């Protein structure tokens, strides 16, 4: 679980940070071409998102095959599929989040400042440092609103949520995961749907912001 937590935050934040200056530069070109009547906001935003998909898939596949075998997870088609699925959509929503923060701010420097504040909050409420069962009840709403928490839920529940091996305490791995972290294996499908929803939300916000906001100065 520690490897999942570290990889999700490190690679995800790296993706978000690296895409911000690129989107900021291309947005300047978009302003010029839109003024000339050549570009429309929605096709531009759609193209920006779609071009990232094959690169993210290649990144996920290379990372997934190497790490999955090195850690020693069970070589089952279903579990490997879930691992690749959750990592792919995690890297996707981090990338879309980086694009979105540029779209709602004047430049990539301010976008980096704004996004870094949320990285710290996502880290705190991810469910790794403090499990959901131990988060005060009045703060748990943000756990459910934290994308990284959903990622760890999906990764851990899909890999360990059905393991019946017994720990030294006499509790099975499945029971420990459910009692300590609150992760249930039968909830994996719902977690997958949430991942898709997060990506759609960030993508829509990026497209809407590109269309509505204009930070160009004459």
């Amino acid at each position: 679980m520690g490897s999942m937590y570290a990889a999700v935050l490190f690679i995800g934040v790296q993706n978000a940070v690296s895409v911000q200056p690129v989107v900021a530069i291309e947005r300047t070109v978009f302003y010029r071409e839109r003024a000339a009547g050549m570009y429309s906001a929605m096709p531009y935003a759609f193209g920006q998102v779609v071009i990232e998909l094959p690169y993210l898939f290649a990144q996920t596949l290379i990372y997934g095959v190497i790490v999955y075998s090195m850690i020693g997870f069970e070589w089952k088609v279903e579990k490997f599929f879930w691992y690749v699925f959750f990592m792919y959509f995690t890297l996707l929503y981090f990338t879309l989040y980086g694009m979105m923060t540029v779209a709602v701010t004047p430049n990539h420097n301010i976008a980096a400042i704004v996004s870094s504040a949320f990285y710290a909050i996502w880290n705190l409420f991810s469910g790794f440092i403090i499990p959901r069962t131990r988060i005060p009840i009045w703060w748990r709403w943000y756990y459910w609103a934290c994308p990284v928490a959903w990622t760890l839920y999906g990764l851990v529940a899909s890999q360990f949520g059905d393991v019946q091996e017994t720990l030294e305490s006499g509790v099975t791995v499945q029971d420990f995961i459910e009692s300590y972290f609150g992760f249930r294996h039968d909830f994996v499908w719902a977690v997958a749907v949430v991942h898709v929803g997060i990506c759609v939300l960030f993508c829509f916000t990026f497209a809407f912001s590109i269309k509505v906001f204009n930070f160009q100065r004459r």
Side-chain angles (χ1 to χ4, degrees):
M1 185 175 177
S3 68
M4 297 174 181
Y5 162 78
V8 165
L9 277 177
F10 180 76
I11 303 178
V13 171
Q14 187 180 37
N15 274 24
V17 170
S18 61
V19 79
Q20 286 175 336
V22 177
V23 175
I25 293 172
E26 292 185 353
R27 182 176 61 178
T28 305
V29 179
F30 165 71
Y31 285 152
R32 184 189 64 195
E33 297 300 327
R34 183 173 63 176
M38 299 297 293
Y39 276 8
S40 179
M42 289 304 172
Y44 167 79
F46 178 76
Q48 282 278 74
V49 172
V50 170
I51 196 62
E52 296 290 342
L53 301 182
Y55 292 103
L56 289 172
F57 182 73
Q59 181 186 15
T60 304
L61 208 57
I62 294 171
Y63 166 82
V65 171
I66 295 174
V67 174
Y68 196 90
S69 58
M70 289 181 66
I71 291 179
F73 290 131
E74 290 186 68
W75 279 106
K76 293 182 178 179
V77 175
E78 180 185 5
K79 290 195 172 188
F80 182 72
F81 166 78
W82 281 125
Y83 188 83
V84 172
F85 176 90
F86 286 122
M87 284 305 303
Y88 177 72
F89 277 93
T90 297
L91 297 180
L92 178 59
Y93 76 62
F94 263 105
T95 304
L96 292 174
Y97 175 72
M99 297 166 65
M100 180 188 73
T101 53
V102 172
V104 298
T105 53
N107 55 64
H108 70 276
N109 296 316
I110 298 178
I113 296 172
V114 172
S115 57
S116 62
F118 283 92
Y119 298 148
I121 298 175
W122 288 0
N123 180 29
L124 183 61
F125 286 91
S126 64
F128 179 79
I129 298 175
I130 307 173
R132 172 168 55 89
T133 55
R134 303 196 176 189
I135 296 177
I137 191 68
W138 57 86
W139 277 115
R140 289 187 188 176
W141 65 270
Y142 197 85
Y143 171 89
W144 295 113
C146 176
V148 179
W150 287 101
T151 297
L152 289 181
Y153 195 130
L155 288 171
V156 175
S158 63
Q159 298 302 317
F160 305 121
D162 60 344
V163 176
Q164 297 298 325
E165 294 181 16
T166 306
L167 302 174
E168 293 181 358
S169 59
V171 181
T172 63
V173 175
Q174 180 179 0
D175 292 337
F176 173 77
I177 292 295
E178 187 169 344
S179 62
Y180 186 76
F181 293 105
F183 297 162
R184 298 195 343 257
H185 186 264
D186 57 358
F187 199 61
V188 170
W189 282 98
V191 178
V193 172
V194 171
H195 274 74
V196 176
I198 292 171
C199 292
V200 171
L201 174 63
F202 287 173
C203 180
F204 173 79
T205 307
F206 168 68
F208 179 79
S209 301
I210 284 290
K211 182 178 181 179
V212 174
F213 299 141
N214 188 344
F215 298 103
Q216 190 177 33
R217 294 181 179 180
R218 294 186 180 276

